[in-house]
């Protein structure tokens, strides 16, 4: 389709050439005059500003540092509430206890009334095997270092033979023994560990002492019998020198008592047949 020919326009002003129109070649556009960008100036200014600020900040820091060195140090701030407490210094572990010294055997003897000093271990317990061949009263008392009685070991009439504890009822090892007798007598003191072991059943006709290594394994009760006419006493010793009395009767007896779990030693006083039986 042919475009209509436009009417002639007004004459072009001098210097502009032919006007743009249909059928005329379009001259290339005149490039605009380049303008100088502004961002290099902005960046440069920012760099200079930062450099100036940095120099000023450094000087400020140095000034504050010098002032801080001349200033009085501030008081320490209290610890924050959630700060962990300081650990206490570790306590050194306790030294292991030295092994117990087994007391040596001590023997004393005589005839009739006599007071004899003995050198026993202060903290030791003993089993004393005592004999007497007289016919009248026979008495053995334990004395302390001042000569005062601290325990009655034996009080019988006539011939006597049996084992008794020494240093348990008295709470200390005696310094001497006072004997009242009309015949020959003998006392052999051995370390308590030399006493026989109670295995759950025992019998005899004389006073006796037994070690109890594990009372809980033996049972919860103990049954005792006695067929003699004199005193019948069954005594126990536990932890912390605790003393318990299972039986204290005269003449024939049969009965049952609780067996403490901390029982360590059983002592029997009798002048006739007796039996002991642990019961579960």
């Amino acid at each position: 389709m042919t475009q209509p020919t436009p009417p002639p326009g007004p004459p072009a002003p001098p210097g502009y050439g032919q006007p743009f129109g249909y059928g005329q070649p379009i001259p290339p556009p005149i490039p605009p005059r380049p303008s100088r960008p502004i961002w290099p100036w902005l960046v440069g200014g920012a760099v200079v500003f930062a450099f100036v600020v940095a120099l000023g900040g450094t000087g400020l820091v140095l000034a504050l540092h010098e002032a801080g060195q001349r200033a009085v140090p501030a008081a320490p701030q209290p610890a924050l509430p959630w700060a962990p407490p300081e650990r206490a210094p570790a306590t050194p572990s306790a030294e292991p206890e030295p092994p117990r010294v087994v007391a040596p055997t001590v023997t004393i003897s005589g005839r009739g009334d006599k007071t004899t000093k003995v050198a026993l271990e202060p903290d030791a317990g003993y089993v004393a095997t005592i004999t007497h061949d007289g016919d009248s009263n026979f008495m053995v008392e334990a004395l302390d270092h001042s000569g005062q009685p601290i325990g009655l070991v034996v009080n019988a009439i006539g011939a006597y033979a049996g084992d008794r504890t020494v240093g348990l009822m008295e709470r200390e090892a005696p310094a001497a023994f006072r004997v009242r007798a009309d015949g020959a007598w003998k006392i052999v003191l051995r370390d308590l560990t030399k006493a026989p072991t109670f295995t759950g059943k025992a019998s005899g006709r004389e006073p006796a002492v037994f070690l109890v290594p594990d009372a809980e394994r033996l049972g919860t009760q103990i049954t005792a019998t006695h067929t003699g006419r004199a005193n019948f006493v069954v005594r126990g010793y536990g932890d912390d020198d605790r003393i318990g009395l299972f039986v204290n009767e005269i003449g024939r007896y049969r009965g049952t008592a609780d067996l403490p779990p901390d029982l360590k030693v059983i002592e029997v006083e009798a002048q006739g047949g007796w039996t002991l039986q642990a019961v579960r």
Side-chain angles (χ1 to χ4, degrees), residues 181-209:
D182 67 337
W185 53 267
K186 185 178 182 180
I187 303 174
V188 180
L189 296 127
R190 297 172 295 143
D191 190 89
L192 188 60
T193 58
K194 303 294 182 65
T197 300
F198 179 66
T199 60
K201 185 177 182 179
S203 62
R205 297 187 62 84
E206 299 172 344
V209 176

Side-chain angles (χ1 to χ4, degrees), residues 100-106 120-121 123-129 163-170 188-198 208-213 236-238 241 263-267:
R100 182 182 179 276
V101 176
V102 177
T105 300
V106 176
L120 304 179
E121 292 290 335
D123 300 324
Y126 290 85
V127 51
T129 300
D163 290 346
R164 298 298 308 276
T165 62
V166 170
L168 299 185
M169 178 71 73
E170 299 83 12
V188 180
L189 296 127
R190 297 172 295 143
D191 190 89
L192 188 60
T193 58
K194 303 294 182 65
T197 300
F198 179 66
V209 176
F210 299 96
L211 297 178
V212 185
Y237 300 89
D241 298 329
L263 182 66
K264 297 295 185 294
V265 178
I266 295 177
E267 182 175 19

Side-chain angles (χ1 to χ4, degrees), residues 11-91:
Y16 283 93
Q18 296 295 326
F20 297 150
Y22 297 110
Q24 300 274 347
I26 299 176
I30 300 174
R33 184 179 181 182
S35 60
R36 303 182 68 178
I38 195 173
W39 62 266
W41 294 96
L42 295 177
V43 173
V47 171
V48 172
F49 179 80
F51 182 74
V52 173
V53 171
L55 290 178
T58 303
L60 180 60
V61 170
L62 292 176
L64 291 176
H65 178 68
E66 293 177 357
Q69 288 183 340
R70 294 191 300 268
V72 178
Q77 296 296 321
L80 295 175
W82 46 262
E86 295 183 359
R87 292 184 178 181
T91 55

